[in-house]
Amino acid sequence: MSPKKTTLKPAKAISKPAPLPNDPRAARGVANWKEAAQWLRQRGIEDIECITPDLAGVPRGKMMPTSKFTSNTSLALPSAIYRHTISGEYPDETESFRYEPRDSDLKLVPDLSTLSVVPWETDPTAQVICDIVNSNGEEVSYTPRNLLKRIMGLYADRGWKPVVAPEIEFYLVAMNDDPDYPLHPPKGRSGRSILGGQGYSIAGINEFDELIDDVYHFSEKQGLEIDTLIHEEGPAQLEINLRHGNPIELADQVFLFKRTIREAALKHDIYATFMAKPMQGQPGSAMHIHQSVVDIETGKNVFSNPDGSASREFFHFIGGMQKYVPSALAMLAPYVNSYRRLAPEMSCPVNNAWGYDNRTTAFRVPVSDPQARRVENRLPSSDANPYLALAASLASGLLGIMKEIEPTAPTEDAANEGSIDLPRGLLEAVALLEDEPAFEEVFGKEFIGLYAGVKRGEFETFMQVISPWEREFLLLNV
């Protein structure tokens, strides 16, 4: 697929009705640069952060005075930021992983629909999420936000749009400045560390009510909407559910929510972590993704026939998930630590089965009316880049529809008994990503080569570290 042309002018927001007084939409987004200048002036904003997600989902960008931002200043970042590992190292080149010879600039194009305040800063500060183009104004296909847009474009070509609703789990942990020591839960308002087994416990949430109040306050200031918040099974493990909507907007929200939750926790001398498996013997943290597809013209759910029964597209979507998600797992479980979560008997599916209201399957179909028929992907971990996880999941389902892949029969009983049907480690997952020919048509060859090179580089960095297990069992025994 040839790169899509665009101009270097900042992207305009999707047209929206004017916000009413006290409407939360007023906190987020404007339609054009004139409105942006007014929005910044009304709030007395002094600085603005122009940010974009790298391959890990880490915010990268530049901060500048508001006056410089509104003067149409050209913003640029080196292309190398998409070629380094999570530890900041640069892998060796291979046949498919190459550096841009000149390390040329990439241009940041602010998406003004994402403009919002940064509520934890002491000085009045705003933030805006940016897209990435090259010096010719072409979208850079391997950047996470553009990759998700590419997948949405494939749906739009068929007259459809996907709808998603992420659920993000995370842990609160006591501050720990020495990585050699295990993490442990923080003390709550009772003065004691919270224990596990607190699933859906209101008392468990109330242990951190002031921190959670700050999460809600920070979110409201940014125009971010939380649907529900619960305590999960792990000690001080929480889950935030977001309202369903456009995948780009929801990926943006997860991107900002992670930052927001970390900042709220730091305010209370606590760490918030989205590691997939931060504590040994405790459940891992997932980012479950609910997915449906609607017809752009009619708004009808493509997964349901007019009589309310499940459509062929619904079953083919599931078939595509079963066939392709295991090969895309490196985008859903992107680190060595991610595969510690994907273990039997740890409240996490380790299969590619599907079933009706069956939480032991990788792909669960919740009970719903026909218009809300959807598929929940329970494999992604919370450490995943939300743009890449959504792109991988939606692309897998779409490939199933395009190739009319039939699913297996739905699993009626527990699906986690028996062998593990997924890659058991990062290198195996990366190899499957590279070996799936259908992925070139949806993700592009350049992205696959770049992503695989970075992941292999991270694995080699990990292999340089000697673990406590090795010192305990090998030091004097072998």
Side-chain angles (χ1 to χ4, degrees), residues 387-448:
Y387 302 92
L388 299 186
L390 287 173
S393 193
L394 292 171
S396 296
L398 181 61
L399 283 169
I401 295 174
M402 293 166 60
K403 300 179 185 297
E404 299 185 350
I405 297 173
E406 296 294 338
T408 64
T411 299
E412 302 291 342
D413 301 317
N416 262 7
E417 298 174 356
S419 61
I420 297 177
D421 301 322
L422 302 170
R424 283 299 287 129
L426 182 60
L427 282 188
E428 183 185 350
V430 169
L432 289 175
L433 179 71
E434 292 177 303
D435 291 343
E436 177 48 65
F439 286 166
E440 282 196 19
E441 60 184 290
V442 292
F443 300 137
K445 187 174 182 179
E446 186 176 20
F447 167 78
I448 294 171

Side-chain angles (χ1 to χ4, degrees), residues 109-132:
V109 182
D111 181 345
L112 296 179
S113 70
T114 67
L115 183 65
S116 66
V117 300
V118 183
W120 50 83
E121 291 286 355
T122 53
D123 295 327
T125 304
Q127 62 191 343
V128 65
I129 299 174
C130 300
D131 286 314
I132 301 294

Side-chain angles (χ1 to χ4, degrees), residues 9 68 73 200 213 335 436 441:
K9 292 174 63 179
K68 187 174 181 181
T73 298
Y200 294 91
D213 284 346
Y335 303 103
E436 177 48 65
E441 60 184 290

Side-chain angles (χ1 to χ4, degrees), residues 25-73:
R25 289 176 300 171
R28 182 175 181 78
V30 295
N32 53 52
W33 281 95
K34 181 179 178 181
E35 289 185 12
Q38 182 181 12
W39 188 97
L40 294 165
R41 186 168 54 251
Q42 287 176 340
R43 290 160 177 77
I45 300 297
E46 298 175 3
D47 300 302
I48 187 157
E49 301 171 352
C50 299
I51 57 176
T52 195
D54 67 4
L55 288 185
V58 174
R60 307 285 178 181
K62 293 185 175 181
M63 177 182 280
M64 66 186 64
T66 301
S67 58
K68 187 174 181 181
F69 175 72
T70 53
S71 64
N72 205 21
T73 298

Side-chain angles (χ1 to χ4, degrees), residues 71-114:
S71 64
N72 205 21
T73 298
S74 178
L75 303 170
L77 292 175
S79 61
I81 70 164
Y82 293 100
R83 290 167 172 82
H84 63 64
T85 66
I86 191 67
S87 57
E89 297 173 327
Y90 293 88
D92 293 334
E93 286 190 329
T94 65
E95 184 178 344
S96 58
F97 176 78
R98 312 295 294 180
Y99 291 96
E100 207 281 332
R102 298 173 298 157
D103 194 16
S104 301
D105 276 347
L106 300 177
K107 302 294 183 181
L108 290 164
V109 182
D111 181 345
L112 296 179
S113 70
T114 67

Side-chain angles (χ1 to χ4, degrees), residues 200 347-349 355-362 364 376 378 416:
Y200 294 91
S347 305
C348 175
Y356 294 101
D357 198 22
N358 187 340
R359 283 185 169 85
T360 69
T361 61
R364 169 179 171 258
E376 178 192 11
R378 296 177 58 79
N416 262 7

Side-chain angles (χ1 to χ4, degrees), residues 223-302:
L224 304 175
E225 294 184 85
I226 297 174
D227 192 15
T228 58
L229 186 147
I230 65 170
H231 196 290
E232 269 290 349
E233 285 298 319
Q237 185 188 30
L238 306 180
E239 176 183 287
I240 282 181
N241 299 335
L242 306 183
R243 295 183 181 180
H244 66 272
N246 176 289
I248 289 289
E249 294 179 5
L250 269 297
D252 287 343
Q253 287 196 43
V254 176
F255 176 57
L256 296 176
F257 263 122
K258 284 188 172 184
R259 193 180 185 207
T260 298
I261 292 164
R262 287 192 189 100
E263 291 290 340
L266 285 173
K267 183 178 174 184
H268 296 269
D269 297 323
I270 292 173
Y271 288 153
T273 180
F274 296 87
M275 281 180 66
K277 187 78 166 181
M279 287 188 280
Q280 184 174 327
Q282 297 296 341
S285 291
M287 182 174 65
H288 299 152
I289 303 172
H290 291 254
Q291 308 155 102
S292 59
V293 181
V294 300
D295 185 277
I296 293 174
E297 276 194 18
T298 66
K300 299 291 186 182
N301 190 335
V302 173

